[in-house]
Structure formats: C-alpha cells, structure tokens
Amino acid sequence: MRNLREIAELYGSELSLQGVEEHRRVSGMQSICSTCFKAARISAILIDDGLQLDKKHDIEWHRSFTPLVGRILRIERLAEEILDEDLPDGSSWTVDSFTKAFVSKLKSVSGEIFGLKSIAAYRSGLEINTNVTKKDAEEGLRQVLIAGKPVRIANKNLIDYIFLQSLEVAQSYDLPMQIHTGFGDKDLDMRLSNPLHLRAVLEDKRYLKSRIVLLHASYPFSREASYLASVYSQVYLDFGLAIPKLSVHGMISSMKELLELAPINKVMFSTDGYAFPETFYLGAKKSREVVFSVLRDACIDGDLSIPEAVEVAKDIFARNAIHFYKISSAIGVVSSHSNLPQKLNDGLDIDLSLVRILWVDGSGQHRCRAVPKKRFNDIVAKNGVGLAFATLGFSSYMDGPADGSGLTAVGETRLMPDLSTLTRIPWNKQDEMVLADMCVKPGEAWEYCPRDALRRASKILKDEFDLEMNAGFENEFILLKSITREGKEEWIPFDSSPYCSSSAFDAASPILHEVAASLHSLGISVEQLHAEAGKGQFELVLKYTVCTKAADNLTFTREVVRAIARKHGLLATFIPKYALDDLGSGSHVHLSLSRNGQNVYMASDRSSKHGISTLGKEFMAGILHHLPSILAFIAPLPNSYDRLQPNTWSGAYLFWGNENKEAPLRATSPPGTPDGLVSNFEMKSFDGSANPYLGLAAILAAGIDGLRRKLSLPEPVDTNPNPETLQRLPASLSESLDALNKDDFLKEFMSDKLLTTIKAIRKAEIDHYTKHKDAYKQLIHRY
C-alpha cells in the first residue's frame, strides 16, 4: 500500500493498482523507465543478468537511462549454461573439462564485468566447504548431469567447488564477489543463509585478499553481517532489498544494526531493482529517507556531528561503491537526458572538491598534485596524470634533477592513483587524497617507481621463501613555533620539557588528540604517544602491518602530523637533527617475518638461542652485513649522520644486541611476548627523511641475501659498545655512499637506472651541504 501510494504520486495517476497499471499501459515502457530513473537520480546500474525472466532487455538497452551501466556475472548461471552445452567431441563432462571451460570463461570476461555474484545461499547454503575435493565435485557433477537438461546445480559439493574456483579468479583479477545472504524466496532455507556460515571462507588464508559484499543487509541477520564487516577486512555490506521491502520500522532498525559495528566505508546503497523500473525508484527514494532518519538519530545521539553525517551519506550513496566496484565516472555526472532541476543533481558538490595525488621522491620529500573530483573520476582514476621524469631526481635543497641522475627535462611518467588508498582528508573533509604509483602507462610500472621497488622485493621474499616482512614505525618529530627576532622569522621548539613529561603532553594534547583521531579515521592504528627527550620532541608509535602497507601508513602519518600542527599554528618537522646540540629524531622501524599469518622470526620454542628462529637469524644477519650501504637509503641526508652518534641511542657501531638501545639492530620482546623469545627487531638508523618504500626495499633485499646465503648472525653485544672492538658504521653520507658503490646486492631488486639516480641525489646532497654548512636549517620546511 505504501509503495502503491508512492508510485501513483510519481505518475500522477489514480491511487489504485488499476490506475497505475493503466498509466503504465498508456505511457509505454520507454516513458515510464525515463520517469522512474530521472526521479531516482541514479548514476550507475550494475545488472546481474543471470536472473531468468520470460523476456528482458539486454544490458546495453539501459544506457539511455543512466550514465554508466555494467554487468555482474552470476557464477551458478554461467556454470549451468556451460553444462547445458555438449562437448565438441561428444564426450561427457568431467570436473577437469568443466573447470577448464568455466575458469577460461571467467577470465575471458574479467575485463568486461564489474564483479561476480553467487546465489549459493539459494542452492545449498553458505557453509562453504573450503576443503571440497575434486573427487567430491566429480560425484556432484555426475548427479547433476544425471538429472538431465536444462541443468540446475543444487549439489552442495559442486556448488562449493564452483564458488571457490570463482573466488580465486575474482581475487586474482581484483573483482568483487557479491553473495546473496539473508531472506529471499521460499526455495531458500534461511537457516543456511546466515552470513556467519561464511567463516571458513573468511578465515581461509588463500582468500584473504578477496573483496566480498554481503547483499540484502543479510536481513534478518543484519547484526551478524555488521560484525563480519568489522572484523574481516574483505567483507563489505549492501542493504538493497531490505530497503524498500520491509516496513519503515524494519528498514530503519536493519540499517541501524548494520551501522552498529561495520565501518562506514564498507556500507553501500543499492536498489536491488529488477524487472520493473518502479523498483529502482522505490529503492532509491526509500534509501534516502531511511539513511537520513538513521543519520539524524546518530547526530542527536552524539555518534556523529552534522558535517560528519553529510560525509557518511556521500560515502554510503556514492563513494564506497565507486571504490569497491572501481567505477571511475559514475557519481556526480549529470546525464545529458536529465530534465531535473539542477539542485537535484548537485548533491555531491563534486566539482567543488579536490583529490590530492601523493608520491614520495628520491630524496624522501612528499609531493602532490591536486585535481577536481569530477576530473579524477572521469579521467585521472583510469589514465593518471603526467609528471616530468626529472622530479624523481630532485634533491633536498633544489627542485631540479641531480647531476648524473640520468633524469632530465625530457619525458614524462604517469602518476597512477592506487584507488585502494583513496581516502577522505581528515583535516579537510571536503577533499580526498590518494597514493600514486609511477607508471610508463596504466598497468606498467616505471622502473624508477619506489612503491613498485618495494612490491618487487616483497614478491621475491614471498615467491622464494613464502614469507612476508612486517614493519611498524616509531615516528619522532619536533613541534616548532614561530617567533620574530630582529625583524626575522625564527622557528624554535614550542616546549622544553623532559622525556615523557606530562606537562609537555598537556601542552601538545590538542594536537596529539587530533593526530590520533585523524589516523584512526584513516584506519591507521596508533599504539603509543609520548614526549621524547629532545626539546619540543614527541614520538608516535604505529602498529605493525605488512611492509607495503606500513610504508603507505608512514606516508599518510607524516602528512597528518604536519597538517595538524600547521592547523594549530605550529610546524612539525621530522628532520634527523634539528639542533646539533640536542637529540635527533628517528623513524625507528620494528621488523618481523610471518608465514601464513604466524610470526616465524620468533623461535618456535625456548630451545633456540636468543629466542630467534633460524630464518630470523639469517634474515637479520643479511641486514647487519649490508647495513653500511643500506644507510644510504634509510639515513639519506648528511644531516642524518649528525644523529647517528655514539651514546645517543641511535646505533653508531656495527653490532646487534638484546634490548640494547645503543645497537643499530635491537632484538626486542615487548609485553606479551613469551619468556625467552623475541618477537621482532628494531632498526634505529631509519629516519624521517627516508623514502619509506626505498628504505624498506633495501632492507628486504639485504634480508633476502641473508636467507639465500644462510648467513650466520654473530653473537650479540649486550653492553655499552666498545669503540676499540667494534666497527664504526659510516659516520657520514659520503662513507655510506662509498659502501653502497662497493656493494652489488641490490641489483636484482632495483633497476640500474634507479640506483644511478639515488646515488646521484646522495652525491648532490654531500656536495651541497659540505659547501653550505648552515643550509640544513632550511630542511625543517621539507621534512
């Protein structure tokens, strides 16, 4: 009755079923579709064309009603269509021949579709057996074929097998998988459509990088779905069908349950419209009303501010789906056929916002280009933006390529946004930021790209040893305030309190709170904050994660700290040595190795000497062996070596130790580590002027060299280092560069051209700061 009233009002027809039907008959399909889609204000439709109807228009036909139309492929229907066909040689289908045909078809259309969809819930339920065997599937296939044609697959083993084959393809081609969950038609056993049954799939390490969206709000299992989205990174939610099918109370309560735990950037609108254009209109109209009601209550309850609620609405109705389905130009486009008033189409203010495209250059400086959101969606997300080759070769003192870098004014690379990193800017919520890869063309990395260098090294570690390196950074920085002295601006520490001072924390508390909240909004976990020993110095500790993600997190963290400090009228600097008579600032990195999610740097039991596994010792030995040349990447400025001095807890000599703060490599057992074991080791030399991707790539390469050569880790030094018995690490960038020039372990991991550029930048730094002794003071504006 409610929907009938809504449709009659839209059409201006008599308020009765007969009146609406008469209007539809007189107007015709084209006219009513145009009316419904204009009123719905939908910018993109993704259609599951596996739904069987007596007659239906093809996908292309829908393009006259909305700017973007795409296909979702229903995997069970594809499997049935394949089995309905006979093999060319007249033989019977086997699991091998079916798998080959099925997987081949999925791969062949991977570039034409926006995602896959499974209705396993309708057939055999969501308790997918992740260990289903070929033998089980073969028997299931035999039973299905015996039932005759047209084929309908209902055998659980075969359904599970098809699901897992599809999920593997989806993951490898970075396609999302839609899964029907919760209520449906009467042939669905709702006891088996609870998304909690998917636990085996979600826990299976083979599918951890998949992207799964639970459809229909999983109603009546909305709370269960919300929980899954909160604990599994690969789970997203879609509330189509629950809205508009339920009562108003039901829609609102289901939506609130979804948002009880689920991250807001994982909840997506869809109409679940099908068969009738009115279903698209009703889904869009009621979704707007319900989301408004829920967000209004959230504001009243204090969960959200009004500006935050506005951003949430944009996420739910547009941005989340754009990112999830990789839609580059669906939202904010006013289609040419629209006759609606402009005010109905400008809801996202898309032309008023900007997207910052971030990269880190060869000297470790953060740089960005900004483009309007609409251009980003229409062009840049797919094609990138041009950037002169020369920019990677800039030094810390001049925006021009270093002599001998091989990079000149000729040629451009492409900055290709990594859409998985696209995020709202916490201190400027109107805009977004995204990290970029440097590419020759979309899909082909430029050989100088720092992010790709780290990915390549990580892939070698994974392919050869089935290992991942985890990293967590401790970021030290100094907060400076501006004063005017004799008519000139000077920047001095805003505080002079000692180490772990409460008064220093109180003084910086507004900044530190906002930094922590901003990082939380970016999904970056802060483990600790405290005042450090230097004047105006603080430390911010990030939770460890896989090293590629850790480098991204570090880049975002530096952006956050500097921006929030600037917002409060201060300048935050990560310069290694702000004042030569005070302590320096590092970016100490804690490292470990994992295999299948388990820490394998740590020994398996207390019988291992020093509590470190054999793998861990060999990896650590490689890093210790190559540390003098690694310093050119992780301590890349002459100013870095003013920090790396004896008796400053920064690591001046070549050794490792157990909980020895003077060791450049410190084995550590934080609270919670079993007695006698070591969970990770810390590298003290890494500082805030280093490019995190190149720094971690160099460390990885050295560790891999240690694993390949099975290098032995020397005995630890657990006393204050003795200069007479220990080798001094490079005391200058010049010495570290000399060590790098004599060491060839990096050639497999970084291109010769990239190494040439890095060495040229380092030489330029040495020459400049040797001639200009006070020039380091300007580095506070660059790092």
Side-chain angles (χ1 to χ4, degrees), residues 383-674:
N383 299 298
V385 295
L387 183 72
F389 284 163
T391 55
L392 189 76
F394 288 0
S395 64
S396 69
Y397 62 89
M398 183 179 71
D399 286 345
D403 290 343
S405 67
L407 299 174
T408 67
V410 179
E412 278 196 343
T413 183
R414 294 272 191 95
L415 287 177
M416 289 301 301
D418 177 353
L419 296 180
S420 69
T421 68
L422 183 63
T423 186
R424 184 72 36 194
I425 296 179
W427 61 91
N428 183 13
K429 292 186 183 296
Q430 181 177 344
D431 294 344
E432 293 171 284
M433 58 183 174
V434 65
L435 297 173
D437 292 317
M438 293 179 167
C439 296
V440 177
K441 59 184 179 181
E444 182 182 338
W446 188 37
E447 58 189 317
Y448 292 82
C449 178
R451 292 183 89 225
D452 189 64
L454 179 55
R455 276 196 295 266
R456 286 202 309 273
S458 298
K459 186 176 187 301
I460 292 171
L461 182 68
K462 180 68 174 177
D463 291 348
E464 289 191 25
F465 302 99
D466 192 25
L467 294 173
E468 290 184 317
M469 184 176 79
N470 296 312
F473 286 92
E474 298 177 356
N475 300 276
E476 294 174 333
F477 58 92
I478 294 175
L479 293 176
L480 303 173
K481 62 183 178 182
S482 175
I483 63 168
T484 301
R485 183 175 293 163
E486 297 179 358
K488 295 182 179 180
E489 183 183 50
E490 289 185 24
W491 291 93
I492 63 171
F494 98 122
D495 181 81
S496 299
S497 302
Y499 176 74
C500 282
S501 163
S502 295
S503 62
F505 196 91
D506 284 337
S509 181
I511 297 171
L512 300 179
H513 272 285
E514 191 168 348
V515 165
S518 295
L519 292 174
H520 178 75
S521 75
L522 297 174
I524 300 173
S525 297
V526 175
E527 291 198 332
Q528 196 172 148
L529 284 162
H530 64 264
E532 260 296 347
K535 294 182 177 66
Q537 189 181 43
F538 293 85
E539 180 173 292
L540 185 155
V541 181
L542 303 180
K543 181 177 174 62
Y544 76 89
T545 185
V546 64
C547 63
T548 49
K549 178 70 171 174
D552 289 347
N553 287 351
L554 180 62
T555 303
F556 280 137
T557 298
R558 292 172 179 172
E559 290 290 311
V560 166
V561 170
R562 283 195 285 247
I564 300 302
R566 191 178 302 112
K567 179 179 173 182
H568 288 264
L570 300 177
L571 188 152
T573 181
F574 294 88
I575 183 177
K577 193 79 167 178
Y578 162 73
L580 299 184
D581 60 352
D582 201 355
L583 293 174
S585 296
S587 189
H588 314 152
V589 61
H590 288 255
L591 302 168
S592 63
L593 297 171
S594 65
R595 177 179 287 150
N596 297 325
Q598 297 297 313
N599 186 337
V600 293
Y601 170 79
M602 183 167 61
S604 57
D605 56 51
R606 294 175 180 80
S607 64
S608 172
K609 193 173 184 181
H610 308 306
I612 306 172
S613 70
T614 300
L615 282 172
K617 291 174 185 174
E618 292 173 356
F619 189 79
M620 197 170 170
I623 294 170
L624 189 65
H625 177 74
H626 294 292
L627 186 55
S629 49
I630 293 174
L631 287 180
F633 292 90
I634 64 176
L637 293 174
N639 180 260
S640 300
Y641 298 81
D642 293 325
R643 180 179 79 92
L644 301 179
Q645 298 294 320
N647 301 313
T648 60
W649 291 14
S650 57
Y653 296 94
L654 187 61
F655 72 98
W656 77 279
N658 290 298
E659 299 293 2
N660 187 339
K661 299 282 190 179
E662 277 293 313
L665 269 64
R666 175 176 74 101
T668 178
S669 305
T673 307

Side-chain angles (χ1 to χ4, degrees), residues 120 164 166 203 247 356 426 561 586 589 595 598 653 685 711 731 777:
L164 296 176
S166 302
E203 287 286 332
S247 69
R356 299 182 194 179
V561 170
V589 61
R595 177 179 287 150
Q598 297 297 313
Y653 296 94
S685 314
L711 295 180
K777 294 178 181 179

